[in-house]
Amino acid sequence: MTETVTLDLSKATALPLMRQAFLDGRLSAQNRTPGCFYRDRSGCPCLVGAVMPDDFHDRKLKGTMSNVHSLRTLLSTMGDVEVLGVHAEDPEQSKWLNEMERLQDLHDGWCRYRNKGDAQAASAYAEELRDALGFTVDTPLYPNRQPTETAA
């Protein structure tokens, strides 16, 4: 029998974890080699990946993410995972799921344009994500790195 694992993606749990990962400079988009499927090559998470505990990622996701490009797709593939806080039947939770996907899209755009070497487009995505997370313009986009560093 497969053990059921619980993943809490509720706004009350997820948003503070996402905000802290941004402030700590731990997001893949803030890394020297941005790009990920919930964790990049160096272990930095994407925005939604920052909500997932490392043991959850290692047990449930590692090596399975090459064709999963949306949070809804990911959730639909996790039959033995009880996901809390993002059920479509609940209007508030459905709204939060839509918002999480939008935030993740901003993170992905930041990664994509950093990888392309387009600093202006990358900054636009980064600034929009910073604003969407409720930070001010004084909050650094790269707290632990130089913003001019791009992917190798």
Side-chain angles (χ1 to χ4, degrees), residues 34-55:
C36 68
F37 288 106
Y38 302 95
R39 295 281 190 277
D40 67 16
R41 292 184 300 263
S42 61
C44 291
C46 65
L47 194 66
V48 171
V51 179
M52 299 175 184
D54 290 336
D55 66 329

Side-chain angles (χ1 to χ4, degrees), residues 23-90:
L23 286 174
D24 292 346
R26 291 186 300 109
L27 295 177
S28 178
Q30 295 166 309
N31 191 0
R32 286 183 178 88
T33 56
C36 68
F37 288 106
Y38 302 95
R39 295 281 190 277
D40 67 16
R41 292 184 300 263
S42 61
C44 291
C46 65
L47 194 66
V48 171
V51 179
M52 299 175 184
D54 290 336
D55 66 329
F56 176 86
H57 178 268
D58 293 344
R59 287 184 8 208
K60 297 292 179 186
L61 302 178
K62 198 169 193 174
T64 65
M65 301 310 299
S66 61
N67 62 353
V68 177
H69 298 287
S70 80
L71 182 57
R72 288 179 198 274
T73 302
L74 171 67
L75 296 176
S76 72
T77 65
M78 300 191 316
D80 60 341
V81 176
E82 179 185 11
V83 180
L84 305 177
V86 289
H87 299 288
E89 305 81 40
D90 181 298

Side-chain angles (χ1 to χ4, degrees), residues 63-131:
T64 65
M65 301 310 299
S66 61
N67 62 353
V68 177
H69 298 287
S70 80
L71 182 57
R72 288 179 198 274
T73 302
L74 171 67
L75 296 176
S76 72
T77 65
M78 300 191 316
D80 60 341
V81 176
E82 179 185 11
V83 180
L84 305 177
V86 289
H87 299 288
E89 305 81 40
D90 181 298
E92 285 303 309
Q93 290 183 17
S94 180
K95 182 179 174 183
W96 171 238
L97 178 57
N98 290 337
E99 179 65 9
M100 274 200 325
E101 287 190 323
R102 185 179 83 81
L103 293 170
Q104 182 62 42
D105 286 345
L106 292 171
H107 176 272
D108 292 348
W110 186 3
C111 284
R112 183 173 44 258
Y113 285 103
R114 281 200 61 222
N115 280 325
K116 290 181 177 183
D118 186 339
Q120 184 175 2
S123 288
Y125 277 94
E127 290 166 5
E128 189 173 345
L129 178 59
R130 178 182 58 201
D131 294 346

